[in-house]
Amino acid sequence: MIRRPHRAVPAAVLALVLLGMSAAVALTMIPGLTGAPDYLWRDVVVRILHDISWNDTRVAAAGLAAVSGGVALLALAVLPDRATVLPLAPGDGIAAGIARSGLYRALGAAAESVEGVHSARIRLRRKKVRVVARAGARSPELRRAVREAVDERVTRIAPAPSPRVSARVRRLGSVARQHHSNRGGWGRR
């Protein structure tokens, strides 16, 4: 039960580019076919294209841009994106999942629940959770407490491949404290 996001943005960009190109071709061809007066920009485009040869660097650059764009769109279509819903360990034959953002929030709240931690940044990989906590002071006990709190939350949530938790604690300096209070904390990503 892994849900991945839809590729709506690349599809919309491609659709708009193709629509613009189709409209330009239609506006160029229809007046010529119907005998209507030509648009002024059509003559300019025809003049520019007539002056360009196949050996021109602009032709090569346009071809390279088209091929690069096509390869990028193909890669976006074929390669999977990060999952938006992560599977949970199967229990009682029921498939369930948790939203990636919900898991970030839950693990961040677990890290911030430790006494002395002001904020936490969570990095989630397939088999590893990295926590960087900001605190007034650094100590091995605080790092261990953060790791244990997040590890306990991971155990309670039970994502399907159970990730390993690692934690670091960084000292929150006076400038960073003021920045933290003005900005509202770190992001979770």
Side-chain angles (χ1 to χ4, degrees):
M1 167 165 191
I2 298 177
R3 288 198 182 152
R4 299 194 185 277
H6 298 287
R7 303 291 184 154
V9 173
V13 168
L14 179 61
L16 289 174
V17 167
L18 290 176
L19 177 66
M21 291 173 58
S22 300
V25 168
L27 287 174
T28 303
M29 298 303 293
I30 290 173
L33 294 173
T34 61
D38 289 337
Y39 294 107
L40 178 63
W41 64 272
R42 180 177 175 260
D43 294 333
V44 173
V45 170
V46 168
R47 198 175 317 117
I48 290 172
L49 290 177
H50 184 12
D51 292 340
I52 296 176
S53 70
W54 284 107
N55 296 332
D56 197 347
T57 57
R58 293 179 285 184
V59 174
L64 183 62
V67 168
S68 299
V71 168
L73 288 172
L74 184 64
L76 282 173
V78 172
L79 298 175
D81 199 5
R82 291 189 335 176
T84 56
V85 176
L86 302 173
L88 297 178
D92 298 333
I94 298 173
I98 184 170
R100 181 178 287 274
S101 60
L103 187 58
Y104 276 116
R105 281 192 301 273
L107 298 181
E112 290 173 0
S113 70
V114 175
E115 184 69 32
V117 173
H118 293 280
S119 62
R121 180 179 289 167
I122 306 295
R123 295 217 183 256
L124 183 62
R125 300 288 180 250
R126 183 164 173 78
K127 295 184 180 185
K128 188 173 184 179
V129 173
R130 288 182 48 197
V131 182
V132 178
R134 293 275 189 173
R138 289 176 44 182
S139 70
E141 293 83 20
L142 185 60
R143 185 179 65 82
R144 190 174 318 113
V146 169
R147 188 182 52 75
E148 288 172 358
V150 173
D151 195 31
E152 186 271 330
R153 186 69 54 95
V154 166
T155 303
R156 280 190 13 213
I157 294 173
S162 185
R164 188 173 51 94
V165 177
S166 67
R168 286 181 27 199
V169 176
R170 290 191 174 169
R171 190 165 191 274
L172 187 64
S174 60
V175 173
R177 265 193 208 129
Q178 185 177 17
H179 182 68
H180 169 73
S181 63
N182 291 343
R183 220 180 101 217
W186 276 12
R188 300 250 189 273
R189 302 213 171 157

